[in-house]
Amino acid sequence: MRPISLLLILIGCLWSGGCQQTRLSFTQVEAPKVPSFTAPTNAPTLAKKEFTPLAPPEVISLSDELSLHLLPGTPSQLVGIHLLAVSPDAPYENLDIMHTALQQLSVKLANQHDLPCIEGLTIHPSIHGLRLSLKCPASALAQAVDVLAQSWSSDAYGELELSRLKRQLALDKHIRAFNGSEIEEVWADKILGSAHPYNKALNNRELQQSLDKPQLLALLEQTKAKSQWHLLLEGVPQVEDSLREQLTASLSQLRAQQRQRERFVDTFSPYGKQLFVIDAPGTVQTQVRIGYHLPMGLDDQEDSAFACEALSRWLGRSFSGRLYFDLREQRGLTYGIYGRCFNNPMARILKYYGATQHQHTGAFIRGILDHLALAAEAPPSEAELAALKTSQFSLIALRQDDPGHRIEDYSQAIARQAGSDAMTARLKRWQTLTPEVLQALAQAHFGQEPVIVIRGDLARIRPDLEEKLPEWQLKVTWVD
C-alpha cells in the first residue's frame, strides 16, 4: 500500500473518533401520546343508529352428530353450501396435512363430477374446524352436498399423488422460513407454552416426510372420528322433507364415533421480564410481538373474552387506535402496529404486533410497553370511548353484511359452542361500556409482564435494547 493511502486512512479514523468503535445512533424514548377526538369545525354530524344483530339462523337436527343451519342468502342468488366439521374439545392434529390433501383432492373432484360449481370448492381450516364451501344453483343443492360428503370418503384419497403432497408441504415450510414468518412459530411456543396441545397439532415434519397411504387414511379417519358435523345453507328459506331425507342420506357416512372428552388443564406460567430474540443477521427490520395469555376459567369466560376484544381494539385498531396514532402518525417508528384477540376454545391470546427499523427497535418496544402502562393508569376520555364504540359497531356491521366474514364468524362460534344469544350479550357489553370499566379491564390484564418475542439483527439492536429496556433480560431463541 502506498504511504499516502495509509496516511489518509489513519487521518479518517482520527477525524471520526476511531475505526469500528463509533456508536450507532438510535431513536430516543418519548412519553406516550393519546389521540384527540375533537370534531373538526363545520364537520357533518354523524347520524346515530342503533345496531342490532341478525336474527339467529334456524337450526334443524338431522342426527345426533349432524345439524342443518339455514342462514340468510348471498347477493349472487346462488345457494351457499358449507360442510363444517368441528372438534370443540380438542384441536385437529396434522390439520396442515389434511388441508393440503383436500386442496389436491378438490382438483380431482372437479375432473370427476359433471357439476360446474364444483370448480369453486374452497377449503377453510382452523385449529378446531374445517369447512368445505361451494356456491351452486338451488337445483344442484342435493348433488353438491353429496360431492362434499364424498370428499371425506377414504376411497377419494386412493389416487392422490403422495409425492406431490409431500413436496407441497416441504415448499410451504421453506416459504415460511424465507418470509420471516418463523416468528409466529416461536410466538406460539412462548405465548401458549411448549406443552399446549395447539403447539403439538401442526408441523409434524417426521410425518410429512414419511407420509404414505395408510398414514393418510388413518389421519382421515382420526379427523372424522373427533368431528361434529354441520351443514350450513345460505339462501334456502326452508327444506322440504324429501330434500331433508336426501341430505341426511348423503351425510350419513360422516357419523362420528363416540368421543372421549378430556378436560384441558392450562399450565402456562408468565416468564417475567424476559425478551425472546430470534437472531436474523442482515435484516433491516425488527418484527415485534407483544401480548398476554389470558385465563380460560369457566366462571369468567364471557368477561375474559370481552376484555380481550375491547383491549385489542382500544389500543390496536388501525388509524384511530392509540398505538397506531402515536408510534406511526406522531413518531414514525413503524408502518403499522395492530392488536388482535384470538379467542379459541383452549386458549385466549391478546396480541399486539408490528415491525420497525433496527434503529427504532428499543423505542418502538418501549413505546408499546408505556401505552400498556398508561391504559392501566388512567381511563380514556368520553370522546375516545365514543370513537372506539363507533369503530367497533361499524366493524361488526360490516362483517355481518359481508357473506364471507358472516359465515366465518358463525363457523367459529359453532366451534366455540357459543350460544345463540352470544352476539346480543356482546353488543350489550359494548353499549354499556364506560371509561372506568375499560380502565379496570386494563388494570386486571396488564398487571403482569407481557410476553415479548422479536426477530431482528441482534448484533445491531442489542445496544439499544439494553439501553431502552435495561430491566429486561435478552434471551436468544430459534425455531426447532
Side-chain angles (χ1 to χ4, degrees):
M1 180 181 291
R2 295 181 179 180
I4 186 64
S5 299
L6 180 59
L7 179 62
L8 289 174
I9 292 175
L10 291 174
I11 292 175
C13 288
L14 292 173
W15 282 346
S16 64
C19 292
Q20 297 182 356
Q21 280 80 42
T22 303
R23 187 186 184 282
L24 295 175
S25 177
F26 292 101
T27 306
Q28 296 302 310
V29 170
E30 296 181 12
K33 303 179 182 66
V34 297
S36 171
F37 291 92
T38 303
T41 305
N42 299 324
T45 303
L46 183 65
K48 292 186 178 180
K49 182 179 179 181
E50 291 296 327
F51 175 74
T52 55
L54 296 174
E58 180 183 359
V59 182
I60 303 169
S61 176
L62 299 181
S63 67
D64 292 340
E65 297 294 340
L66 175 63
S67 298
L68 173 63
H69 304 247
L70 303 181
L71 291 85
T74 62
S76 68
Q77 302 303 312
L78 295 175
V79 174
I81 307 167
H82 312 271
L83 181 56
L84 172 66
V86 296
S87 173
D89 305 315
Y92 282 119
E93 297 179 15
N94 299 300
L95 186 64
D96 43 359
I97 298 178
M98 278 301 306
H99 180 213
T100 306
L102 281 166
Q103 286 180 317
Q104 190 177 134
L105 179 63
S106 66
V107 177
K108 177 183 173 183
L109 293 174
N111 293 328
Q112 286 182 340
H113 295 278
D114 185 19
L115 182 66
C117 61
I118 193 65
E119 296 181 0
L121 175 63
T122 56
I123 301 107
H124 306 269
S126 66
I127 196 68
H128 285 272
L130 188 56
R131 175 165 53 91
L132 308 183
S133 298
L134 285 172
K135 290 184 178 180
C136 298
S139 58
L141 172 57
Q143 184 184 0
V145 171
D146 191 58
V147 171
L148 292 181
Q150 289 178 30
S151 67
W152 286 99
S153 169
S154 57
D155 295 337
Y157 292 80
E159 299 178 5
L160 289 186
E161 299 180 35
L162 290 181
S163 58
R164 180 184 171 192
L165 195 156
K166 289 191 284 188
R167 285 197 303 270
Q168 185 62 53
L169 290 167
L171 177 61
D172 292 342
K173 172 191 171 184
H174 287 299
I175 290 175
R176 290 196 303 270
F178 179 78
N179 63 17
S181 61
E182 62 181 341
I183 189 175
E184 298 300 343
E185 293 185 41
V186 176
W187 166 257
D189 179 72
K190 300 305 179 186
I191 196 67
L192 294 171
S194 300
H196 196 283
Y198 289 171
N199 280 325
K200 300 177 180 180
L202 301 173
N203 301 317
N204 186 337
R205 290 169 186 148
E206 181 179 349
L207 178 59
Q208 291 177 7
Q209 293 170 358
S210 65
L211 187 67
D212 56 23
K213 183 178 176 180
Q215 289 174 319
L216 179 59
L217 294 180
L219 176 58
L220 173 67
E221 293 304 318
Q222 179 189 43
T223 303
K224 291 169 61 177
K226 65 168 54 177
S227 295
Q228 298 174 3
W229 300 91
H230 301 264
L231 180 61
L232 318 181
L233 299 181
E234 296 177 292
V236 181
Q238 60 182 356
V239 177
E240 301 294 339
D241 291 342
S242 58
L243 178 57
R244 184 184 304 183
E245 291 175 2
Q246 283 182 281
L247 300 180
T248 304
S250 294
L251 300 171
S252 60
Q253 61 180 290
L254 301 176
R255 290 175 181 170
Q257 302 173 6
Q258 186 67 33
R259 299 187 308 276
Q260 295 181 351
R261 300 185 178 182
E262 297 181 4
R263 180 175 174 81
F264 169 66
V265 178
D266 194 351
T267 59
F268 175 82
S269 178
Y271 304 98
K273 293 189 174 182
Q274 291 190 51
L275 195 159
F276 299 99
V277 184
I278 304 169
D279 187 15
T283 53
V284 297
Q285 283 195 327
T286 303
Q287 296 171 273
V288 177
R289 306 289 184 266
I290 296 180
Y292 297 87
H293 184 121
L294 302 187
M296 293 290 292
L298 295 176
D299 296 335
D300 62 350
Q301 283 282 21
E302 294 302 321
D303 293 340
S304 178
F306 178 76
C308 184
E309 180 180 58
L311 294 175
S312 69
R313 296 285 295 156
W314 179 22
L315 302 185
R317 71 189 188 280
S318 61
F319 304 113
S320 56
R322 283 191 174 188
L323 294 175
Y324 193 99
F325 168 81
D326 189 7
L327 301 183
R328 171 176 169 149
E329 298 299 321
Q330 298 299 304
R331 302 183 59 192
L333 301 182
T334 180
Y335 280 115
I337 171 75
Y338 309 97
R340 187 175 174 188
C341 172
F342 296 85
N343 185 24
N344 290 308
M346 298 173 66
R348 186 172 294 117
I349 303 300
L350 174 58
K351 175 183 178 182
Y352 300 103
Y353 59 98
T356 187
Q357 292 184 338
H358 64 81
Q359 65 266 32
H360 301 322
T361 300
F364 184 61
I365 297 174
R366 184 80 264 170
I368 298 173
L369 295 177
D370 288 345
H371 271 286
L372 297 176
L374 179 62
E377 291 171 3
S381 66
E382 291 287 353
E384 183 178 8
L385 181 62
L388 170 60
K389 289 184 177 182
T390 299
S391 172
Q392 184 63 17
F393 288 135
S394 299
L395 175 66
I396 295 173
L398 287 172
R399 292 189 71 88
Q400 283 196 167
D401 286 342
D402 179 76
H405 284 136
R406 186 169 62 233
I407 200 69
E408 177 64 25
D409 291 345
Y410 188 68
S411 299
Q412 292 297 324
I414 292 174
R416 291 195 305 270
Q417 297 182 304
S420 59
D421 60 344
M423 174 58 76
T424 302
R426 173 187 173 196
L427 290 174
K428 185 176 180 180
R429 284 178 174 271
W430 275 107
Q431 290 166 344
T432 59
L433 183 64
T434 65
E436 292 73 25
V437 169
L438 188 55
Q439 180 196 6
L441 294 178
Q443 291 174 334
H445 293 84
F446 294 161
Q448 65 184 30
E449 303 299 343
V451 178
I452 304 180
V453 176
I454 69 173
R455 179 182 183 271
D457 191 332
L458 183 58
R460 304 190 72 176
I461 63 179
R462 181 190 288 273
D464 192 43
L465 291 172
E466 292 177 342
E467 177 186 330
K468 304 291 193 337
L469 303 161
E471 69 277 21
W472 286 78
Q473 176 187 0
L474 303 186
K475 189 170 183 179
V476 179
T477 187
W478 54 85
V479 176
D480 292 334

